[in-house]
Amino acid sequence: MNTVLTIAGSDCSAGAGIQADLKTILAHGAYGISVVTALTAQNTMGVLKVAEVEPEFIGMQMDAVFTDLAPRAVKVGMIVGAEAVHVISQRLKKYAAKQVVIDTVMVSTSGSRLMEDEALECAQEELFPFAALLTPNLPEIERLTGITVTNAQEMQRAASTAAKRFGCAVLCKGGHLANEADDLLYDSGQFYWMRAPRIANPNTHGTGCTLSAAIACELAEGRNMPDAVSRAKQYVAGAILDGLDLGAGRGPLNHGYAFFPSGR
């Protein structure tokens, strides 16, 4: 069984972060292991408070899993501060981490800021060089490149700019576009459009976390990047289409829809 590591924040409502990642990894038939970077008090209506885990302890968690369980792929999500970014980058280098998928979590779905400016600068210099793939949404790719994105041509320009700047594949997520939910992968000099209709379901809490974790699982299976992204996107679409409706705000996906449909 493949081991897949998630390095991310904890979501006590279990729709995003570590909890969503572990459910996604299990749904893909892999064994999920985790390193917690932050604790959040949140639910479907928003984030109430964030408590950062001490960077030294983040490093100890990474030492524990890498020296024993040897992950085949790594998903990196929420990191609050620059020192935590530095520690994580050091450990990824020390253990020659494979197939690192970085979800550039800067702001939550509800609008709460989750990453300090200094941490983002540090991530671009120290963390992103270890990435096989970055998965920014449109506001994030705009911040990383300075390119305003409102259409397909601008998505292509932003994705290729980020890929060349950071030396990895880039999946530019189009969920913020007006009429469609098309994502754009730029990998090894080629564009791959991942077309998909917009699903009429407001319960999309944790979609980005789920997608990046699913891609890491597919890469752990040995799939190439376009196939891994395509298959992961299909999984997320199924989890949204299931129609799970929990909470008073933006509810979570059903990560186990293939085994336990919410309507049964």
Side-chain angles (χ1 to χ4, degrees):
M1 178 180 284
N2 290 330
T3 53
V4 177
L5 169 63
T6 169
I7 304 172
S10 169
D11 171 9
C12 58
S13 70
I18 288 285
Q19 289 85 344
D21 293 346
L22 291 176
K23 287 185 281 188
T24 298
I25 294 166
L26 181 61
H28 282 78
Y31 184 84
I33 50 181
S34 61
V35 167
V36 181
T37 62
L39 305 177
T40 69
Q42 67 174 295
N43 55 28
T44 64
M45 294 178 287
V47 179
L48 303 177
K49 190 170 183 178
V50 175
E52 184 179 5
V53 173
E54 292 183 2
E56 181 182 0
F57 189 66
I58 293 173
M60 292 178 67
Q61 293 178 77
M62 292 184 69
D63 290 337
V65 296
F66 272 101
T67 57
D68 187 31
L69 295 166
R72 293 284 300 273
V74 180
K75 173 261 173 78
V76 181
M78 175 186 175
I79 309 173
V80 179
E83 184 57 32
V85 172
H86 181 64
V87 167
I88 291 168
S89 302
Q90 283 186 323
R91 293 308 198 282
L92 292 177
K93 180 179 181 179
K94 177 180 179 179
Y95 296 113
K98 303 173 184 176
Q99 302 290 22
V100 179
V101 177
I102 299 178
D103 184 15
T104 51
V105 181
M106 301 176 193
V107 178
S108 72
T109 303
S110 60
S112 297
R113 183 177 171 186
L114 300 176
M115 189 179 203
E116 298 171 355
D117 289 340
E118 185 180 355
L120 179 58
E121 293 177 8
C122 183
Q124 293 179 71
E125 295 177 6
E126 298 185 22
L127 181 61
F128 290 3
F130 295 103
L133 176 71
L134 298 179
T135 64
N137 59 29
L138 295 190
E140 290 164 349
I141 196 80
E142 288 180 342
R143 188 171 178 186
L144 290 173
T145 65
I147 298 170
T148 301
V149 180
T150 59
N151 55 46
Q153 291 72 29
E154 290 165 351
M155 278 182 74
Q156 288 182 318
R157 181 182 167 212
S160 61
T161 297
K164 292 168 185 174
R165 181 172 298 171
F166 302 119
C168 62
V170 172
L171 177 65
C172 186
K173 298 179 292 189
H176 288 77
L177 291 174
N179 300 314
E180 59 276 315
D182 296 341
D183 297 339
L184 175 64
L185 172 66
Y186 184 81
D187 179 39
S188 301
Q190 296 189 52
F191 291 108
Y192 301 87
W193 280 102
M194 306 290 175
R195 307 286 184 183
R198 184 172 295 279
I199 300 171
N201 182 353
N203 296 313
T204 55
H205 178 53
T207 303
C209 303
T210 300
L211 177 63
S212 54
I215 294 171
C217 291
E218 297 291 350
L219 292 174
E221 288 285 346
R223 305 190 198 284
N224 63 39
M225 189 64 73
D227 286 347
V229 172
S230 178
R231 290 173 66 94
K233 189 172 172 66
Q234 291 173 29
Y235 166 76
V236 172
I240 298 173
L241 280 167
D242 176 83
L244 182 64
D245 188 14
L246 297 176
R250 287 186 177 269
L253 317 181
N254 182 4
H255 299 89
Y257 69 92
F259 311 101
F260 306 105
S262 62
R264 81 171 202 172

